[in-house]
Amino acid sequence: MFTKFRPLLIACTLFCAGAVNATTLLLPPANSLTVGTYGDFSVYSLDLLQKCAAAGDSRCLPSGPYPVMSDPGALHSQLTIYKNSNGAPFSNYDAGTGPFGGLLPANVKVDNPFDAPTGIGETAFNMTGAGEPGTTWAGGTDISGRWDANLASVLSYLTSPNGNVHDLVFLFDNNQVGTDSDQQQFLWGQIHILRADGSDTGICYELNSTGAACLGGSDPNPLFTQWDQPTDFVSTVGRFCVSYATGASYGYGAANAGACNAGEGDYFVNNNLGASNAEFAAYVGDLNDNLATWAGLGYSMSINFKMRNLNDGGEQLWICSECDLAPDRQIPEPAPLALIAIALLGLGLVRSRAKKQN
């Protein structure tokens, strides 16, 4: 279980504005059905969890409530990293609704979200200095072309008015169009932990499909390929079946639940639920374990995020305000085949660990 600390540097009463419209979610214990590891990230398919929990499968309980909404009303109070603004700029400082509404960016030190591309002509997204939505705050920890956040502010955002500190969980809303292989999407992400003066601690976490060491600020190989080929990018797949007995996935492109072995209790999973529902939840155990300590030291996190094979745009990435991980979050020794059951499909699955660079 994550050790919970009440943040000492910044009063929660200043930074808990999003609690009124919080996104609340309990994630079940990590096991060979519910969680897959991709580099340093542990990832859940929320559609699989919803169906598994509804079936009374103890591996997915306790968890919920589902679905996890990502429509504008639900998302506005959330600490957002990446969002389609549809021509209306979206700010983490919107008065009355944003998680830091009415506060000064210079004090909070959290960036506004990058704008997601839309339309079939946009096939890739990279975080760049040109695409950053303005300099919201100055200082050595505001890195051009990255989404930066002071960890004391993040910790305060995760703290409810009653003092309960929630876990740092990333939520992602997939929004491809078409069916089957058309929905395939490739993701890569990296988090660097920076000291208060902006220098790199050497602590880095990476979302990748190879389990390779964190790249130290370098971009991954821009090439990507089909879901069953080695690549730094992690691939998503829209519809498939998951075996109740083993957690193995099969039947990619399954049209409906009828394609799955209902007699064995197998699950039909759809990881492309449209623009109003989140499909994935992810966390880094080491980041949660050290969040309070690093917040007290004035550290920040700097996020680099990339996507490939976009065909519509409108994806959204944010930090959940009231997500909690079940106490037993350690992934048991799994059968590698079983880990493929969750939504993000790739090779080289490894146990989550922190990457420390020399």
Side-chain angles (χ1 to χ4, degrees):
M1 174 180 282
F2 293 140
T3 302
K4 308 285 191 180
F5 292 94
R6 187 180 183 89
L8 300 177
L9 297 183
I10 303 175
C12 180
T13 52
L14 292 178
F15 290 159
C16 291
V20 175
N21 296 306
T23 296
T24 302
L25 175 65
L26 174 65
L27 291 163
N31 55 63
S32 58
L33 176 71
T34 61
V35 168
T37 54
Y38 298 86
D40 298 300
F41 284 75
S42 299
V43 184
Y44 295 87
S45 162
L46 296 180
D47 190 52
L48 173 60
L49 293 187
Q50 179 174 8
K51 291 170 179 175
C52 179
D57 191 327
S58 61
R59 292 171 292 182
C60 299
L61 297 172
S63 67
Y66 304 107
V68 178
M69 303 304 294
S70 61
D71 59 88
L75 195 60
H76 212 89
S77 67
Q78 301 298 284
L79 181 53
T80 307
I81 300 167
Y82 173 83
K83 184 185 185 300
N84 173 25
S85 65
N86 287 319
F90 184 91
S91 172
N92 287 319
Y93 298 92
D94 283 347
T97 56
F100 300 115
L103 300 175
L104 296 176
N107 295 331
V108 180
K109 297 184 178 180
V110 167
D111 278 345
N112 275 320
F114 281 75
D115 192 13
T118 57
I120 59 175
E122 299 285 350
T123 61
F125 170 78
N126 299 290
M127 283 188 171
T128 65
E132 190 167 353
T135 302
T136 59
W137 47 280
T141 54
D142 188 10
I143 309 301
S144 176
R146 301 292 181 264
W147 188 87
D148 302 301
N150 178 272
L151 290 179
S153 294
V154 173
L155 186 58
S156 292
Y157 164 75
L158 296 173
T159 304
S160 297
N162 64 4
N164 183 31
V165 183
H166 301 281
D167 293 309
L168 200 169
V169 175
F170 299 94
L171 295 176
F172 182 72
D173 176 12
N174 183 24
N175 194 29
Q176 295 281 81
V177 297
T179 58
D180 306 333
S181 61
D182 294 337
Q183 297 181 5
Q184 191 173 28
Q185 190 178 77
F186 299 84
L187 312 173
W188 175 87
Q190 191 178 82
I191 301 173
H192 278 266
I193 304 301
L194 306 178
R195 296 184 181 91
D197 63 2
S199 61
D200 197 333
T201 62
I203 301 170
C204 179
Y205 308 106
E206 189 167 304
L207 173 71
N208 62 51
S209 64
T210 65
C214 215
L215 296 174
S218 300
D219 292 341
N221 188 317
L223 299 177
F224 56 96
T225 182
Q226 298 301 308
W227 69 266
D228 57 349
Q229 300 297 317
T231 173
D232 286 333
F233 285 80
V234 178
S235 173
T236 68
V237 174
R239 302 176 301 185
F240 56 96
C241 303
V242 174
S243 167
Y244 173 88
T246 68
S249 58
Y250 67 93
Y252 303 108
N256 52 52
C260 305
N261 189 345
E264 299 297 327
D266 292 357
Y267 300 110
F268 171 68
V269 178
N270 183 359
N271 284 318
N272 193 10
L273 301 172
S276 297
N277 296 279
E279 281 82 9
F280 304 114
Y283 69 91
V284 177
D286 188 68
L287 177 56
N288 273 279
D289 289 341
N290 290 285
L291 181 59
T293 298
W294 292 341
L297 293 172
Y299 286 8
S300 65
M301 65 177 176
S302 186
I303 295 177
N304 189 7
F305 179 61
K306 297 181 181 296
M307 293 192 296
R308 299 289 185 269
N309 210 43
L310 302 177
N311 65 15
D312 184 53
E315 279 73 24
Q316 302 179 120
L317 174 66
W318 70 100
I319 296 173
C320 175
S321 59
E322 293 189 11
C323 283
D324 291 292
L325 300 162
D328 181 14
R329 64 174 175 81
Q330 297 301 318
I331 301 175
E333 288 296 328
L337 179 64
L339 278 182
I340 301 177
I342 73 117
L344 298 177
L345 301 175
L347 300 184
L349 303 179
V350 296
R351 284 175 289 181
S352 178
R353 64 188 184 279
K355 301 290 184 358
K356 297 182 182 274
Q357 300 172 5
N358 295 326

